[in-house]
Amino acid sequence: MTAPKRESVKKQQQQQKPQVVDRAVELLCSFNPIRQTVSAFADDNLHWREGDEHAPSDAVFLRQVLYGCVRCKEPLKIFLAHMFSDLAASIERADYTLYMVLGYLLLFRLDELGFDKFRAITHHEDPLKICALLQYVTDRKRMQGPITQDWLTVFDLKYINDVMLGALERSSDAIAEHCALLQVKTYGKQRRRSTSTDATAEALRSVPARPATIAQPFNLTRPNPRRVPEPMKIEAVFKTGPDPRYLDRAKDLQAIAEENAERLAQTKAATAKKYEEAEAQGLGEFKLHETRNTVDAKRKEIEAQRAAELQFSRRPAKPPPQFSDTAAEVRLNLGAILREDALLKKKQAEDASLIKAYESELRDSTEYIRWQTSMREKDAQLKLEQTERKRQQAKASQAAARAALIGQDAANHELAQCIKAEKAVMAQQRRAEEELKLMINKQVVKQVTEVRGTAPKEAVARTLQQRRQAKEHLTAQLEEGRRRRQWEASAEFKEVQERVLRLRQDEVHSVRVKVFNPTESSGLMLLNEMSLAETRERLAMNKMRERQEEAERRRQILADKAAKQADLQKAIASISEAREAAAAAKAAARAKASAAAEAAEQRQKLPLQAKSAELLETLEAKRDRRQAELQSLEQQEAERQKAALYLGAAAAGSSARAMQDLLKGAERAERNRQALAAAEAQAAGM
């Protein structure tokens, strides 16, 4: 790079504000799309006034960067995801927003901005970060490989090659030159490339070389290597057992038959010897039908031991109390006493009313009660008769129900036939309706196919037009609201300033000193107005009066308690007397009621006993008839079996003889077959 060009670059760098990129990163970090739109956020945070740090052009630039990063957020996220995955060891995740802003400028605005302008606005950033970004975007293998494949889900391939990657391709020389300078700033030594120009080499040679930094390892305690256990040895061999020994003692059928006969003889001899020894010992006959299992005997023995440990017959240490001799003492509480006293008073009031009615009306209800009791007995007898009548009616209704059930089955059969015929007609009608529905659907499909070619395009056009109009209307409303808010804010600010000025002019400070006198009132002419001394006197008098009233209330409460206690004692005495009288009356009533119940039960048992005797006679007669029938049937069966025995004795004997002949023939055939097989085996062995 020549000296004039370097001077022009330095002048541009001095003229450009170094905080523009940082301001763009700050705006993008503080933007929340859920709370505000991009336009409203930009209007609130990008007002330029005299004396501000940024010029109006900077505000326009920041607004464009904010709009662009939000609009191109999806392709930028794809690019940054690949970048952070590939350069995870050299870049930090905290610089995600910075790389988003710089990536937007390089990929979408490089032709419009120019690389010199980009270099000017990023000269204050960390050279290592800028160098890593520039080297990554100039890597054709990565940019045209997986990143382009993911970008195809958002943009067209022509736009990616011409606009996004094309701008980087056209500025590749300037980017390579700037990367070389950034590496010199970062590492402090000369780095040459075969693709760099002579000017770049001259600039690199003009930079003084600095000694390289030698990394020294930390003095950390190294852990001892972990001892790995030796692997288990698995032998890959196949082990075989010894040859089977039964192959050495191959026998023919005759030898096997001889061994079986010998074994059978030994078993018989051992069994006979066992029986002889048992008889010699005097054990008697063998109990072959009994099992050898001793579980039941052991279980009985254990149960006997456990039963012996129980002490059901042991007399208790103290005799149980005789609760039946003395009545239990029940202490009543206040609620129970008051409830029983109220019931007693209610009963006394009812008795008094009856006596008063008898005295005034000369009428006694004893006759009425006697008549009521007799009528209730008649009602009970009538109820029994009605029950018997209902039982007879139930029998008749059961027979009628059986006949009705038979008629209902016939009616159901006829109804089922009618339903089957109707079902066939409905099935035919349903098939006709389905055919008609199929024809209608075909017609609808034909109409939809005709309309499908033009209706979607017209609907899309109408939707786009409606959205465009809605956007214009919303933009106008937002602009009008913004102007109105600005005007209201300015008017409110002016009004506040004027109010503050008026308050400052009208404010007057005065010092008032007043001496307090506790014996004088405030003098405001209020009701019950008094001085502090009088107030204290009145408070003391009120407290004394309250103490006197409290003492009087305490005395009255004690007197009320004593009166209540006396009334309670009287109530308890009257309750005790009433209980004794009621107990005696109830005992007499129970005795009378039990006698009446026994008499009624006897009266009810008489007809039931007569009916039971009649039923027993009927059942005895049925049982005798059934017994006679069974005896006659048994006699007939015995005669039939005897006749069958006489008639079929010869046939049974002939069939048994024929069966024995068949078994003997089968045995001879099997014996001949075994002898032939033994001869063949012997010939093969020789």
Side-chain angles (χ1 to χ4, degrees):
M1 184 183 292
T2 59
K5 191 171 182 179
R6 285 199 301 271
E7 291 178 359
S8 63
V9 170
K10 290 180 180 180
K11 189 178 294 183
Q12 290 178 0
Q13 293 176 355
Q14 293 174 0
Q15 292 176 358
Q16 181 67 32
K17 296 292 183 181
Q19 295 85 3
V20 175
V21 177
D22 296 339
R23 177 61 176 160
V25 172
E26 181 183 353
L27 287 173
L28 196 60
C29 289
S30 59
F31 171 64
N32 188 0
I34 300 176
R35 298 179 58 185
Q36 283 181 307
T37 60
V38 183
S39 302
F41 180 78
D43 293 340
D44 294 342
N45 294 274
L46 293 175
H47 291 298
W48 180 81
R49 297 177 183 177
E50 293 184 0
D52 285 352
E53 184 181 1
H54 301 291
S57 59
D58 293 342
V60 174
F61 174 75
L62 292 173
R63 183 186 293 270
Q64 292 177 355
V65 170
L66 179 62
Y67 273 103
C69 290
V70 173
R71 182 173 58 85
C72 304
K73 187 175 183 179
E74 186 175 356
L76 289 174
K77 288 175 68 176
I78 295 173
F79 167 71
L80 293 175
H82 284 277
M83 179 178 173
F84 277 94
S85 177
D86 296 337
L87 305 179
S90 58
I91 60 178
E92 297 180 359
R93 192 73 183 181
D95 300 326
Y96 187 87
T97 310
L98 173 64
Y99 286 122
M100 180 179 285
V101 174
L102 299 179
Y104 168 72
L105 296 177
L106 286 173
L107 296 173
F108 296 96
R109 302 292 295 276
L110 189 59
D111 284 339
E112 179 183 354
L113 186 66
F115 188 74
D116 293 337
K117 187 71 173 178
F118 176 82
R119 181 167 47 197
I121 65 177
T122 58
H123 76 280
H124 67 286
E125 299 293 338
D126 188 357
L128 182 60
K129 299 177 183 178
I130 305 300
C131 182
L133 177 63
L134 294 177
Q135 289 179 354
Y136 189 78
V137 297
T138 54
D139 190 350
R140 296 182 181 179
K141 184 177 180 181
R142 288 175 175 170
M143 298 298 293
Q144 295 180 358
I147 300 178
T148 302
Q149 294 295 328
D150 292 341
W151 275 345
L152 288 175
T153 59
V154 184
F155 298 119
D156 187 63
L157 182 60
K158 186 175 183 302
Y159 178 80
I160 296 172
N161 292 331
D162 295 347
V163 178
M164 300 172 69
L165 301 181
L168 297 173
E169 188 69 25
R170 290 186 288 272
S171 303
S172 60
D173 295 337
I175 293 173
E177 181 180 352
H178 189 54
C179 284
L181 290 175
L182 292 176
Q183 288 179 353
V184 171
K185 287 183 180 181
T186 304
Y187 301 108
K189 64 178 182 178
Q190 297 182 0
R191 290 189 177 183
R192 300 180 180 179
R193 290 186 178 182
S194 59
T195 58
S196 61
T197 58
D198 296 338
T200 304
E202 183 180 355
L204 291 174
R205 283 193 294 271
S206 63
V207 177
R210 281 192 265 176
T213 302
I214 300 174
Q216 297 292 335
F218 293 102
N219 188 13
L220 299 177
T221 302
R222 295 184 178 180
N224 294 328
R226 195 172 189 180
R227 187 173 182 180
V228 181
E230 296 183 1
M232 183 177 62
K233 184 177 181 181
I234 300 175
E235 297 180 358
V237 296
F238 182 74
K239 296 181 179 180
T240 59
D243 295 335
R245 304 181 66 180
Y246 63 86
L247 297 176
D248 300 336
R249 56 176 187 272
K251 300 178 181 179
D252 54 0
L253 294 177
Q254 187 176 1
I256 293 172
E258 292 176 355
E259 288 182 358
N260 291 339
E262 184 180 358
R263 190 183 305 108
L264 180 59
Q266 293 177 359
T267 303
K268 289 181 178 180
T271 304
K273 183 179 179 182
K274 182 175 65 174
Y275 290 165
E276 292 174 357
E277 291 177 356
E279 291 178 357
Q281 294 176 3
L283 297 178
E285 297 182 357
F286 288 95
K287 300 179 180 179
L288 302 177
H289 61 283
E290 294 183 0
T291 179
R292 296 182 181 179
N293 189 6
T294 60
V295 175
D296 295 337
K298 196 65 176 176
R299 184 183 294 114
K300 290 180 180 179
E301 182 181 353
I302 294 173
E303 289 178 356
Q305 292 178 0
R306 292 179 179 177
E309 295 176 0
L310 300 177
Q311 299 178 358
F312 291 112
S313 60
R314 183 180 178 184
R315 304 188 66 180
K318 293 182 180 181
Q322 298 294 332
F323 293 108
S324 59
D325 297 342
T326 58
E329 294 182 2
V330 180
R331 297 184 62 184
L332 300 178
N333 56 7
L334 180 59
I337 294 171
L338 294 177
R339 283 195 297 271
E340 193 165 355
D341 184 52
L343 292 174
L344 180 59
K345 289 180 179 179
K346 184 178 179 182
K347 180 66 175 175
Q348 291 175 356
E350 291 178 356
D351 295 342
S353 63
L354 290 175
I355 295 171
K356 185 177 180 181
Y358 179 72
E359 290 177 353
S360 60
E361 301 175 4
L362 297 178
R363 180 174 173 273
D364 190 6
S365 60
T366 306
E367 187 66 25
Y368 168 74
I369 293 172
R370 188 181 299 111
W371 171 82
Q372 188 180 25
T373 304
S374 63
M375 293 304 295
R376 285 179 178 174
E377 292 177 356
K378 290 181 180 180
D379 291 340
Q381 186 65 25
L382 181 62
K383 188 175 181 181
L384 291 175
E385 294 176 357
Q386 290 178 355
T387 303
E388 182 65 23
R389 192 182 305 113
K390 287 182 179 179
R391 190 171 64 82
Q392 298 296 334
Q393 291 176 358
K395 289 182 179 180
S397 62
Q398 183 179 7
R402 189 179 296 108
L405 185 61
I406 296 172
Q408 183 67 27
D409 290 340
N412 290 341
H413 181 69
E414 295 179 359
L415 181 61
Q417 297 297 331
C418 296
I419 290 174
K420 288 181 180 179
E422 186 178 357
K423 181 180 179 181
V425 175
M426 292 176 67
Q428 185 177 2
Q429 183 180 1
R430 185 167 59 253
R431 286 194 295 271
E433 291 176 355
E434 290 178 355
E435 293 177 358
L436 178 61
K437 186 176 180 180
L438 181 61
M439 294 175 60
I440 294 173
N441 291 339
K442 288 182 179 180
Q443 187 67 22
V444 171
V445 169
K446 184 177 180 181
Q447 294 176 1
V448 169
T449 305
E450 294 175 355
V451 176
R452 185 181 294 173
T454 58
K457 295 181 180 179
E458 295 176 357
V460 170
R462 286 196 304 271
T463 304
L464 292 176
Q465 183 65 22
Q466 292 175 0
R467 290 182 179 178
R468 193 178 297 109
Q469 293 176 359
K471 180 181 178 182
E472 294 175 356
H473 180 65
L474 181 61
T475 304
Q477 287 182 351
L478 293 174
E479 185 66 24
E480 181 64 24
R482 185 180 62 80
R483 287 196 298 268
R484 185 170 62 255
R485 287 195 300 273
Q486 289 180 355
W487 180 80
E488 290 176 355
S490 60
E492 185 178 358
F493 181 73
K494 291 179 181 180
E495 184 180 357
V496 170
Q497 286 183 344
E498 292 176 358
R499 191 180 300 168
V500 170
L501 291 174
R502 286 198 301 271
L503 290 174
R504 287 179 179 176
Q505 292 175 1
D506 297 340
E507 185 176 4
V508 178
H509 296 280
S510 59
V511 179
R512 298 183 181 91
V513 178
K514 186 176 181 180
V515 179
F516 176 70
N517 188 1
T519 60
E520 294 181 357
S521 63
S522 60
L524 297 178
M525 304 301 291
L526 299 175
L527 294 176
N528 296 329
E529 183 176 322
M530 64 186 70
S531 63
L532 179 60
E534 186 179 358
T535 302
R536 289 175 178 173
E537 279 297 324
R538 290 196 179 189
L539 287 175
M541 293 172 64
N542 291 336
K543 288 181 180 179
M544 185 181 297
R545 185 170 60 253
E546 288 176 357
R547 286 195 294 270
Q548 292 176 358
E549 291 177 355
E550 183 180 356
E552 181 64 23
R553 285 196 300 270
R554 289 180 183 276
R555 187 187 63 76
Q556 186 64 32
I557 289 170
L558 292 175
D560 293 342
K561 284 185 177 180
K564 288 182 179 179
Q565 188 68 23
D567 294 340
L568 192 60
Q569 293 295 335
K570 292 180 182 179
I572 292 172
S574 61
I575 287 170
S576 300
E577 294 176 358
R579 281 185 177 181
E580 293 175 358
K586 286 182 179 179
R590 281 197 298 270
K592 186 177 180 181
S594 61
E598 289 178 359
E601 186 177 358
Q602 292 295 332
R603 287 196 301 271
Q604 291 179 1
K605 284 182 178 179
L606 291 175
L608 293 177
Q609 289 176 357
K611 292 182 179 179
S612 299
E614 183 180 356
L615 180 60
L616 287 174
E617 292 177 358
T618 306
L619 293 176
E620 286 292 340
K622 288 184 178 179
R623 191 178 298 111
D624 294 340
R625 289 195 300 269
R626 184 174 181 82
Q627 189 68 23
E629 291 177 359
L630 290 175
Q631 289 178 359
S632 62
L633 290 174
E634 289 177 357
Q635 186 176 2
Q636 292 175 5
E637 181 66 18
E639 293 176 356
R640 187 187 63 78
Q641 290 180 358
K642 188 181 294 184
L645 182 62
Y646 288 141
L647 294 174
S654 62
S655 61
R657 285 193 298 274
M659 183 60 67
Q660 290 179 0
D661 294 339
L662 291 174
L663 291 175
K664 290 180 180 179
E667 186 178 359
R668 285 194 300 273
E670 184 66 22
R671 193 182 299 112
N672 295 333
R673 187 182 64 78
Q674 291 180 359
L676 181 60
E680 291 178 356
Q682 189 176 3
M686 293 176 63

